[in-house]
Amino acid sequence: MSASTSACLLARLLASGKFWLKRARIQSPDLGEGTPPPGADGALLADVRIEGDRIRAVLPAGEAPCCAPGLCLDGGPVRPRGGCNAVGPGQPADLTVILPDGARLDMEKGRIVQPEPPRSRA
């Protein structure tokens, strides 16, 4: 999937405000009791549910409903951004998402942050 295709799909998902980031790699997760432990590398492969401006759920990869709208990251990392220090339920959906093709998307409150256009040198 190309960067533009992934970005277009994610933009459509974001319009609803409720979607999954499937098969996301979360480094050093601290998700509380009842969640699977991270792997030997300190990362957890997970399905991350976004609703509005918050992360609502983090499930082991493959446990999100198969027909639920989402974007499969194929192990691409999802990291907190903007002062957040965790990816977990109840946390703000302020995230950096790396798509399977290596493209980077920054999210703030569950929405894509548009990069600043380059300033012209006059």
Side-chain angles (χ1 to χ4, degrees), residues 42-83:
L44 174 67
L45 197 59
D47 295 338
V48 180
R49 174 70 173 178
I50 307 293
E51 289 186 10
D53 64 348
R54 296 272 169 194
I55 297 169
R56 292 295 173 211
V58 177
L59 303 176
E63 291 193 13
C66 63
C67 59
L71 180 64
C72 182
L73 300 179
D74 287 329
V78 172
R79 299 182 189 108
R81 66 180 294 273

Side-chain angles (χ1 to χ4, degrees), residues 3-97:
S4 60
T5 303
S6 295
C8 181
L9 177 58
L10 188 56
R12 286 184 182 177
L13 292 172
L14 290 172
S16 75
K18 296 179 181 182
F19 58 94
W20 290 90
L21 297 173
K22 298 179 179 183
R23 296 186 47 79
R25 181 167 299 283
I26 303 171
Q27 292 294 327
S28 304
D30 182 13
L31 305 175
E33 213 172 291
T35 58
D41 64 353
L44 174 67
L45 197 59
D47 295 338
V48 180
R49 174 70 173 178
I50 307 293
E51 289 186 10
D53 64 348
R54 296 272 169 194
I55 297 169
R56 292 295 173 211
V58 177
L59 303 176
E63 291 193 13
C66 63
C67 59
L71 180 64
C72 182
L73 300 179
D74 287 329
V78 172
R79 299 182 189 108
R81 66 180 294 273
C84 296
N85 55 11
V87 175
Q91 295 293 323
D94 297 344
L95 305 168
T96 295
V97 177

